[in-house]
């Protein structure tokens, strides 16, 4: 049984004792950051990269949180040990803290609230094998998606709409360009080349995305960080989404919404997971297995 423990200000506490002040700015403004770290075989996967990205997100929001990387790694380790997680995730968040509700930063700085939980989560093996469908929607989010902030309403509304269309993910389009998924990055394979949106303010620079680009180089798959249009996606040979919980998931069908508000279905490539996607999945699985075996763990 899990769900017994929570992290609160660097310390493990019984889950029911972890409480948020109703004037916490994370709660009132989404004023804070978060990370989700994968656990395989009881070991943290790519945790240092997540901790460093959290440190960057905090810096962008000007939240002072000394020794972020060490504290995140320690907090995550405490949680997986306390909960006995084998395959699962650690969720960690840091809000600016509690203060009377005004938009601007409170003075003096409130004490940031560092909290987290860990829970079991199996690998999404069936969807990784068969592929999934995605709903094409306008990207209604703000213009700082490079910050992993607690403000997720654009993602929440998009993912819900995808669910109602029986799709696994929403993929988002801004000014004719595909940016990413609501909780994943997006890749296509076109003319033998792997393409993904450049890591700028319009997307989250996913840890999985970065690892995939590294693996693509190792596998001698040509790649470019280059944006692509909806037409290029629909004409692509292959497409996939990726993320910490998603891993590498083939996109086999896109559903778009036409002017009459009707769904239109578009097969990607042959409508089956493609060869480049499979090669990357296999390389990624080798990393996962090395992590679980304790030899490839890069905490
Ligand atoms: N893009 C968005 C908007 C996300 O929310 C996520 C993960 O939650 C990703 C991309 C994938 O990032 P990562 O691979 O670091 O999990």
């Amino acid at each position: 049984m899990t769900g017994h423990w929570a992290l609160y200000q660097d310390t493990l506490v019984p889950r029911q004792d972890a409480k948020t002040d109703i004037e916490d700015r994370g709660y009132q403004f989404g004023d804070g950051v978060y990370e989700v770290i994968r656990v395989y075989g009881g070991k943290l996967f790519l945790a240092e990269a997540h901790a460093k990205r959290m440190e960057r997100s905090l810096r962008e929001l000007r939240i002072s949180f000394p020794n972020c990387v060490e504290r995140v790694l320690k907090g995550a380790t405490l949680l997986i040990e306390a909960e006995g997680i084998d395959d699962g995730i650690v969720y960690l968040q840091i809000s600016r803290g509690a203060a009377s509700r005004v938009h601007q930063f409170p003075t003096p700085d409130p004490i940031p609230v560092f909290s987290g939980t860990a829970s079991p989560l199996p690998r999404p093996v069936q969807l990784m094998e068969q592929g999934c469908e995605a709903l094409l929607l306008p990207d209604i989010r703000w213009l700082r998606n490079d910050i992993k902030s607690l403000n997720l309403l654009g993602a929440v509304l998009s993912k819900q709409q995808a669910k109602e269309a029986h799709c696994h993910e929403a993929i988002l389009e801004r000014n004719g360009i595909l940016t990413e998924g609501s909780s994943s990055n997006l890749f296509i394979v076109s003319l033998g080349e792997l393409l993904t949106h450049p890591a700028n303010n319009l997307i989250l620079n996913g840890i999985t995305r970065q690892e995939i680009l590294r693996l693509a180089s190792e596998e001698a798959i040509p790649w470019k960080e280059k944006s692509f249009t909806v037409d290029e996606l629909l004409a692509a040979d292959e497409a996939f989404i990726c993320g910490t919980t998603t891993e590498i998931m083939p996109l086999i069908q896109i559903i778009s919404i036409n002017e009459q508000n009707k769904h239109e279905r578009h097969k990607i490539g042959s409508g089956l997971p493609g060869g480049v996607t499979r090669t990357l999945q296999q390389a990624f699985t080798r990393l996962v297995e090395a992590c679980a075996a304790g030899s490839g763990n890069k905490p």
Side-chain angles (χ1 to χ4, degrees):
M1 270 265 277
T2 56
H4 291 291
W5 295 97
L7 190 76
Y8 188 78
Q9 303 300 50
D10 303 280
T11 309
L12 281 177
V13 295
R15 173 69 186 80
Q16 68 274 12
D17 294 347
K19 300 271 194 283
T20 304
D21 189 301
I22 59 161
E23 289 191 298
D24 189 286
R25 290 177 63 95
Y27 181 55
Q28 291 190 325
F29 294 106
D31 187 359
V33 303
Y34 77 103
E35 280 293 331
V36 178
I37 306 175
R38 235 328 180 164
V39 182
Y40 294 118
K43 315 262 176 20
L44 292 168
F45 184 61
L46 304 173
E48 191 163 332
H50 284 279
K52 285 186 174 153
R53 184 173 64 186
M54 197 167 206
E55 191 172 46
R56 176 187 182 273
S57 295
L58 287 165
R59 197 163 54 241
E60 293 299 312
L61 298 188
R62 294 197 272 152
I63 295 174
S64 167
F65 188 79
N67 307 318
C68 177
V69 172
E70 294 79 355
R71 290 166 74 181
V72 163
L73 296 179
K74 178 155 175 261
T77 304
L78 285 174
L79 280 168
I80 56 174
E81 284 173 1
E83 294 281 25
I85 301 292
D86 186 28
D87 284 353
I89 50 168
V90 176
Y91 174 85
L92 294 171
Q93 78 167 51
I94 300 168
S95 81
R96 194 181 302 277
S100 297
R101 188 185 178 281
V102 290
H103 285 67
Q104 63 271 32
F105 301 165
T107 39
D109 286 340
I111 299 166
V113 175
F114 178 30
S115 58
T117 52
S119 43
L121 186 74
R123 300 182 67 195
V125 277
Q126 198 179 340
L127 282 169
M128 288 194 298
E129 184 54 35
Q130 293 172 359
C132 70
E133 302 187 354
L135 182 68
L136 179 62
L137 288 176
D139 192 341
I140 58 170
R141 305 170 305 160
W142 72 331
L143 293 172
R144 288 304 307 273
N145 296 301
D146 55 310
I147 302 170
K148 200 161 168 70
S149 95
L150 298 177
N151 272 285
L152 288 175
L153 261 187
V156 167
L157 294 179
S158 304
K159 189 77 114 188
Q160 178 60 25
Q161 210 176 328
K163 181 183 168 190
E164 287 164 6
H166 308 288
C167 287
H168 181 76
E169 176 60 305
I171 52 171
L172 308 174
E173 174 252 315
R174 196 187 285 276
N175 301 326
I177 297 293
L178 269 312
T179 51
E180 59 180 337
S182 70
S183 63
S184 57
N185 290 117
L186 175 64
F187 284 75
I188 61 169
V189 179
S190 179
L191 304 172
E193 194 173 46
L194 190 61
L195 300 178
T196 194
H197 195 285
N200 61 14
N201 61 307
L202 298 181
I203 69 157
L204 182 75
N205 189 6
I207 305 301
T208 319
R209 171 191 182 280
Q210 295 170 53
E211 207 55 23
I212 287 168
L213 294 178
R214 193 183 65 71
L215 291 174
S217 296
E218 272 184 19
E219 298 289 329
I221 297 166
W223 60 266
K224 228 185 250 158
E225 291 180 276
K226 180 177 172 291
S227 60
F228 47 86
T229 62
V230 173
D231 285 346
E232 285 173 295
L233 165 70
L234 299 184
D237 300 317
E238 303 178 31
F240 62 85
I241 52 172
C242 68
T244 294
T245 54
T246 306
E247 297 196 13
I248 298 176
M249 196 173 285
L251 276 184
I252 53 172
Q253 189 148 234
I254 307 295
I255 297 181
S256 62
I257 304 173
N258 69 18
E259 279 161 15
Q260 288 75 45
N261 220 15
K262 293 266 181 309
H263 286 175
E264 286 180 1
R265 294 179 167 273
H266 314 266
K267 229 197 278 179
I268 300 288
S270 65
L272 293 170
V276 173
T277 308
R278 285 284 187 240
T279 300
L280 290 167
Q281 283 182 317
Q282 284 156 10
F284 194 82
T285 291
R286 286 195 289 275
L287 291 183
V288 168
E289 287 170 354
C291 170
S295 56
N297 186 20
K298 294 188 266 172

